[in-house]
Amino acid sequence: MQPFSYEKVTNEHDALERARLANATFVAGGTTLLDLMKLNVEVPAALVDINGLPLNQIEDQPDGAIRIGALVRNSDLANDSRIQSRYRVLSQAICAGASAQLRNMATTGGNLMQRTRCYYFRDPVYPCNKRQPGAGCAAIDGYNRIHAILGVSDNCIATHPSDMAVALVALDALVHIRGSNGERVVPITDFHLLPGDTPDRETVVRPGELITYVTLPNRPFGRHSAYVKLRDRASYEFALASAAVALQLEGGTIQGVRVALGGVATKPWRALEAEQVLTGSTANHGTFRKAADAALTGAVPRRYNAYKIELAKRAIVRALTDALPQDL
Ligand SMILES: Cc1cc2nc3c(=O)[nH]c(=O)nc-3n(C[C@H](O)[C@H](O)[C@H](O)COP(=O)(O)OP(=O)(O)OC[C@H]3O[C@@H](n4cnc5c(N)ncnc54)[C@H](O)[C@@H]3O)c2cc1C
Ligand code: SF4
């Protein structure tokens, strides 16, 4: 057992410095990290508690964007009146996740960094390339009912579990990351990585770097938006397939659109093929179904998860239908 330390910090400089010196892991709400420590999946040398940092505000920006601190709790974000009116899909996605108690603790930064719920990853008895590079993947020929059909590789087929991140993809969100060399801003679509040959690398965040903010740009999509999550039970359950959509309409014509998928891909997935079908088309069920078919053309099903293809298509069609204004 290695020596273990815990320290609470109150400013970003100390957070970065402590993380660097102690090779430490940040802890925010603790709702993912502590579980993984109890399971012996994550064994950090030290914990730096960032809950004292001043990153818990939701702020209007001069250009109409909204800036969300990395420590804003999921429940505070979902219940914010600006988010509910201008970025409905985000509020819906967060409320579809976990439980009220967990959302009260879970933070914006921690949600983005949460790890897969692949049961082989979470049980050190099984080989897992994500947990131990080169060990093999127990899921590819195992019981892969909950696993991914998009963005997969021969090394890993685990889904990314976040609902919130799927909505952020539909809203063109930007993630602000601070390291010892300053700040960089990464589009949410580039934030999570495909597994490829290195499934242990899940995001562009480097060891010791801190997520500080997420920005929602002022886009015309947010008002007509919706999140649909399909799962084994109605609450307290991860997505088997989910869709986040945001529409810009002129009359019945779709001027602009974002479609993102959860529960079916190795990262929060932007369905560009679906967006191409929808852009410039009339908003109706036939178009929505064509877009859904296009979104899943690249799917790679395994023995137990082929059902997700149709499930994801239905989630897309329903989300697009839900996003339409009532008078259309
Ligand atoms: C029973 C259960 C059900 C759940 N159901 C759902 C669900 O349906 N949908 C869903 O989306 N989620 C679900 N979750 C996951 C939940 O949303 C996450 O646990 C939560 O969002 C993580 O946030 P946290 O602040 O607690 O992170 P922590 O556990 O504190 O940290 C998680 C990771 O993020 C890192 N981290 C945290 N903040 C930062 C930062 N600012 N910069 C850099 N790194 C950081 C930590 O080092 C750690 O590696 C569920 C969780 C549980 C336990
Ligand atoms: S799917 Fe990925 S996380 Fe799951 S066992 Fe295989 S390598 Fe590990």
Side-chain angles (χ1 to χ4, degrees):
M1 184 93 174
Q2 46 187 313
F4 185 80
S5 74
Y6 166 89
E7 190 172 357
K8 192 161 183 174
V9 290
T10 53
N11 64 68
E12 282 174 30
H13 175 269
D14 286 353
L16 295 173
E17 198 58 14
R18 295 296 183 280
R20 188 177 65 81
L21 290 177
N23 188 22
T25 301
F26 296 125
V27 59
T31 61
T32 280
L33 182 61
L34 298 189
D35 277 359
L36 292 174
M37 288 172 67
K38 286 186 228 165
L39 294 167
N40 257 336
V41 171
E42 293 212 17
V43 190
L47 287 184
V48 173
D49 183 337
I50 56 174
N51 285 287
L53 301 184
L55 296 173
N56 57 359
Q57 301 295 315
I58 304 170
E59 297 161 304
D60 290 308
Q61 300 298 291
D63 62 355
I66 287 190
R67 193 175 77 159
I68 303 158
L71 287 166
V72 170
R73 306 287 154 177
N74 283 180
S75 44
D76 291 334
L77 186 56
N79 292 326
D80 186 277
S81 58
R82 293 162 292 183
I83 300 297
Q84 287 178 336
S85 63
R86 288 167 52 194
Y87 304 98
R88 187 172 84 123
V89 64
L90 179 56
S91 180
Q92 289 180 338
I94 292 172
C95 290
S99 64
Q101 292 89 339
L102 282 159
R103 293 194 295 270
N104 285 342
M105 288 302 293
T107 62
T108 305
N111 192 311
L112 287 176
M113 295 292 285
Q114 66 175 294
R115 308 202 65 190
T116 183
R117 306 304 283 199
C118 170
Y119 22 73
Y120 300 116
F121 168 76
R122 291 171 68 87
D123 186 342
V125 163
Y126 292 97
C128 169
N129 289 323
K130 192 182 275 300
R131 187 171 12 82
Q132 192 187 342
C137 170
I140 286 179
D141 295 319
Y143 186 53
N144 41 41
R145 178 176 176 272
I146 65 167
H147 289 79
I149 52 176
L150 291 169
V152 295
S153 78
D154 291 342
N155 297 299
C156 181
I157 57 169
T159 55
H160 192 275
S162 171
D163 293 296
M164 184 192 84
V166 181
L168 292 179
V169 169
L171 295 171
D172 291 346
L174 302 167
V175 186
H176 301 244
I177 302 168
R178 186 168 285 280
S180 45
N181 294 329
E183 189 191 76
R184 58 203 171 98
V185 181
V186 179
I188 183 74
T189 42
D190 297 337
F191 180 83
H192 295 98
L193 301 173
L194 291 171
D197 293 336
T198 51
D200 52 310
R201 287 198 61 222
E202 295 174 335
T203 71
V204 296
V205 177
R206 294 188 277 260
E209 286 190 324
L210 181 73
I211 301 171
T212 47
Y213 300 98
V214 171
T215 300
L216 303 178
N218 184 13
R219 294 273 195 277
F221 306 120
R223 280 181 208 280
H224 302 306
S225 64
Y227 188 71
V228 167
K229 175 175 179 178
L230 305 175
R231 47 191 154 170
D232 278 329
R233 57 183 176 190
S235 74
Y236 208 49
E237 188 57 276
F238 290 87
L240 293 171
S242 72
V245 305
L247 289 169
Q248 183 192 2
L249 292 162
E250 197 157 308
T253 304
I254 300 166
Q255 297 293 326
V257 62
R258 294 287 182 270
V259 179
L261 300 177
V264 288
T266 51
K267 60 181 262 186
W269 191 258
R270 183 161 168 198
L272 290 166
E273 302 87 349
E275 294 176 12
Q276 265 166 22
V277 171
L278 292 165
T279 306
S281 300
T282 305
N284 60 35
H285 186 271
T287 314
F288 295 169
R289 183 68 205 192
K290 269 189 213 144
D293 289 342
L296 274 296
T297 45
V300 181
R302 309 276 163 174
R303 183 166 179 198
Y304 295 102
N305 65 3
Y307 75 98
K308 284 195 174 190
I309 296 177
E310 180 59 24
L311 200 67
K313 289 181 183 180
R314 293 185 190 192
I316 294 170
V317 172
R318 236 182 73 196
L320 285 164
T321 309
D322 287 358
L324 292 176
Q326 286 188 337
D327 55 357
L328 198 71

